Amino acid sequence: MAFLLAGPGAKRWVLIALLTPQAVAGIAMVKNRLENPVWDRPDLYAVIQSDAGASFDPSRQLIGWQDYNLSPIAAAYDISYISGNNGALLGPVDWRYRSEGAVDPVFGTTPTPYWLICNECAPALAAIAEAGRATTELARSKNFDDGMQIAYRVD
């Protein structure tokens, strides 16, 4: 930075050239978040809680696939949930030991009913169908960072 800004022949244009793409990306992100506010989308966890009732225990009845999709929900609601990738019990920051794309047998071994939040759900839904279980879609919510997320009840 001193090289760019100090001295008689300072090359300020280099710094401007380096920072312009980040500024444009930041403005685009802010614009997108203002055009698609969080409060206009359904809260998938609240939908699941409502569907499940008072006895709902996310640490035994909520599966996330891909597991990182539930990190913001786990942080906001201070919950633990089951990883659909490796069957581990996860919280908001525990997903760093994940197996991306893996489908754990937890979809067929977790007692029903249980609930699932996923995006790019085809592998998880295939594992559920293979286990002879049925799914009911409860809600969809498009997340700017992770794309379309869908909540299901599995019976």
Side-chain angles (χ1 to χ4, degrees):
M1 191 115 132
F3 168 76
L4 295 173
L5 299 175
K11 305 215 181 327
R12 290 179 181 88
W13 63 268
V14 175
L15 187 58
I16 292 169
L18 289 173
L19 294 178
T20 298
Q22 286 79 16
V24 170
I27 291 167
M29 299 279 282
V30 168
K31 179 181 179 285
N32 185 290
R33 293 204 191 303
L34 290 174
E35 289 175 349
N36 303 296
V38 174
W39 53 86
D40 280 353
R41 301 188 305 251
D43 179 345
L44 295 181
Y45 187 71
V47 168
I48 288 173
Q49 277 185 312
S50 174
D51 184 65
S55 63
F56 178 61
D57 179 4
S59 65
R60 292 183 308 105
Q61 296 177 300
L62 180 60
I63 298 177
W65 198 90
Q66 296 277 349
D67 51 16
Y68 62 86
N69 288 323
L70 277 175
S71 295
I73 291 173
Y77 289 96
D78 193 27
I79 62 166
S80 296
Y81 61 95
I82 303 166
S83 166
N85 292 92
N86 60 22
L89 186 62
L90 302 178
V93 295
D94 296 333
W95 55 267
R96 64 184 157 256
Y97 300 109
R98 61 191 299 268
S99 304
E100 187 172 354
V103 179
D104 195 80
V106 72
F107 291 112
T109 60
T110 301
T112 58
Y114 66 84
W115 288 261
L116 167 69
I117 294 179
C118 59
N119 78 353
E120 299 177 14
C121 300
L125 296 176
I128 291 168
E130 188 176 303
R133 297 174 174 197
T135 58
T136 304
E137 184 177 317
L138 301 175
R140 291 174 175 250
S141 179
K142 187 168 186 179
N143 178 313
F144 178 70
D145 299 309
D146 299 321
M148 183 63 70
Q149 293 184 318
I150 307 170
Y152 292 95
R153 181 181 60 244
V154 180
D155 296 302

